[in-house]
Amino acid sequence: MKRKYAFVAAMLLFLAVASVVLTNSYVRYERGGTDDDFTVVTSFYPVYIAAKNIIGDSKGVTLESLSGPQTGCMHDYQLTPEDMRMLSAADVFIVNGGGIEQFLADTAKQYPGLTVVTSCEQVQLLEHNAHAWMSVADYMIQVRTIADALAALDTENKASYETNAADYLAKLGELHRDQQELAKKYGSHQNVLIFHEALEYIARDYGMQVCGGIDLDEERQVSAKETADVLGQIRTQQVRMILAEELYGRRMCETVQKEADVEVVYLDTCVRGDEDADSYLKAMRGNLEKMEQALRKTALNNTAG
C-alpha cells in the first residue's frame, strides 16, 4: 500500500514538473522564441524601452513587457494569469523599483528562482518618489544598471549589450546636455506647482523650486478646499508656472487659470507610447521644447513686470 501511494505521489510530482516545463515551452513558442532563448521580461513602458535599446538585435534574446505600452504607471497593477505564464518563462525580470511595482513582494514568493533586476537601485531617488525615469540623468543610470545586469547574466551577448547601451547613452547624453543648458539659462530659482509627482524630477532638473501642488490621477477627486489651497499657493509663493500631465490634469489646470495668471505646461510622463526604440528620446525632447517655450514666456513676463 505504501509503495502504491509513493508511486502515485511520484507520478503527481512528475506531472506537475512536466506541466511547468510544457507551459514554459508553449509561452516561448507563442512569442516566437525557443527554449534556448534568453527571455527578458520588463515591468512597464519606460523600463521596456530601455531594455529594447540595450538588447537591440542581440542573438537568441526575447524581450517582453508585462504590461502593454498604454497601461501607464504600475502602482495598482494586478498580475493576470497571462502575466504569471510570462514570468514562469522568463530568465530575468527587469523592474523600476522604489515601490512603483507594488506586486513585487508577491512575485518574489511565487517565483523564488527568478532573477529580478531593479533598475533604479543606483539612483538617488527623491523622497517617496521613484519616478526616476523622468530625469534624463537618472534614466541614464538605469540604462547602465540594466546593461550591466544583462551582460552578467547573458555573457554570450555581453559585447552586444555594451555596444548598444553605449550608443543609447550617447543619445541620452546629448539630450541631457541640452536640458542643462536650458536650465542654466531660464530655470534657476523659479517657483512652480506640480500636478503629478513624476514631474518633481523635471522641476528638480531645471533648477526649479517646487512650492506645492497635488498629485492627480484617474481616481483623484479634487475638493473645493484643495483648489482654494492651490490658488493660495500661487499668490503667496508668486508661482508663475504649473507642471501637469494633460490626461488627468487639464480640468484642474483650466479651473486654476480662470482665477490666476499662471502658465501651464503639459508634459509627457513617459509611461505610455509606441514600440519605437526612440520613443523616450522623442517624448523627453518634446518635454524640453515645451519647457523652453514656457520658460522663455515667463522670463519675458517677469522682465515686463
Side-chain angles (χ1 to χ4, degrees), residues 43 53 74 82 112 121 186 298:
S43 58
N53 278 277
M74 302 286 283
E82 173 62 20
E121 65 181 354
Y186 290 115
T298 54

Side-chain angles (χ1 to χ4, degrees), residues 155-174:
T155 55
E156 290 184 7
N157 283 303
K158 182 174 184 292
S160 176
Y161 295 144
E162 290 174 346
T163 298
N164 293 340
D167 290 343
Y168 192 42
L169 286 167
K171 296 177 183 178
L172 290 169
E174 181 180 351

Side-chain angles (χ1 to χ4, degrees), residues 182-191 203 206-209 295:
L182 182 59
K184 185 177 179 180
K185 185 175 181 180
Y186 290 115
S188 183
H189 308 303
Q190 179 148 195
N191 292 344
Y206 282 92
M208 296 174 166
Q209 179 66 41
L295 287 167

Side-chain angles (χ1 to χ4, degrees), residues 4-36:
K4 179 181 178 181
Y5 286 139
F7 174 77
V8 171
M11 287 299 297
L12 289 173
L13 178 61
F14 170 78
L15 290 172
V17 172
S19 175
V20 171
V21 171
L22 290 172
T23 298
N24 289 356
S25 298
Y26 174 76
V27 170
R28 291 173 191 252
Y29 171 78
E30 284 291 297
R31 286 167 173 73
T34 70
D35 285 337
D36 294 329

Side-chain angles (χ1 to χ4, degrees), residues 44-63:
F44 73 129
Y45 192 67
V47 186
Y48 171 79
I49 293 300
K52 185 180 183 74
N53 278 277
I54 295 163
I55 292 170
D57 58 358
S58 299
K59 285 188 176 182
V61 183
T62 299
L63 173 64

Side-chain angles (χ1 to χ4, degrees), residues 240-243 257 261-265 293-294 297-298 301:
R240 296 293 184 88
M241 188 181 298
I242 293 173
L243 306 184
Q257 283 187 302
D261 180 18
V262 62
E263 185 76 12
V264 174
V265 189
Q293 292 173 6
K297 184 177 179 178
T298 54
N301 290 341

Side-chain angles (χ1 to χ4, degrees), residues 57-184:
D57 58 358
S58 299
K59 285 188 176 182
V61 183
T62 299
L63 173 64
E64 299 286 349
S65 180
L66 200 67
S67 61
Q70 297 298 321
T71 299
C73 216
M74 302 286 283
H75 292 296
D76 301 316
Y77 190 81
Q78 299 292 322
L79 292 178
T80 67
E82 173 62 20
D83 295 336
M84 294 176 184
R85 287 193 292 271
M86 188 184 296
L87 288 174
S88 72
D91 292 294
V92 58
F93 183 32
I94 304 174
V95 301
N96 183 82
I100 294 292
E101 300 93 347
Q102 294 181 2
F103 57 82
L104 272 183
D106 292 336
T107 303
K109 293 177 184 177
Q110 294 179 53
Y111 305 96
L114 178 62
T115 298
V116 178
V117 175
T118 303
S119 62
C120 75
E121 65 181 354
Q122 300 298 324
V123 176
Q124 188 170 350
L125 299 174
L126 296 175
E127 187 176 6
H128 307 303
N129 188 342
H131 297 74
W133 66 89
M134 287 303 294
S135 165
V136 177
D138 288 342
Y139 193 62
M140 291 172 72
I141 296 173
Q142 292 183 274
V143 169
R144 293 190 192 98
T145 298
I146 295 170
D148 289 345
L150 291 180
L153 292 166
D154 180 23
T155 55
E156 290 184 7
N157 283 303
K158 182 174 184 292
S160 176
Y161 295 144
E162 290 174 346
T163 298
N164 293 340
D167 290 343
Y168 192 42
L169 286 167
K171 296 177 183 178
L172 290 169
E174 181 180 351
L175 176 61
H176 183 229
R177 286 189 294 274
D178 291 345
Q179 189 182 59
Q180 286 180 306
E181 290 178 8
L182 182 59
K184 185 177 179 180

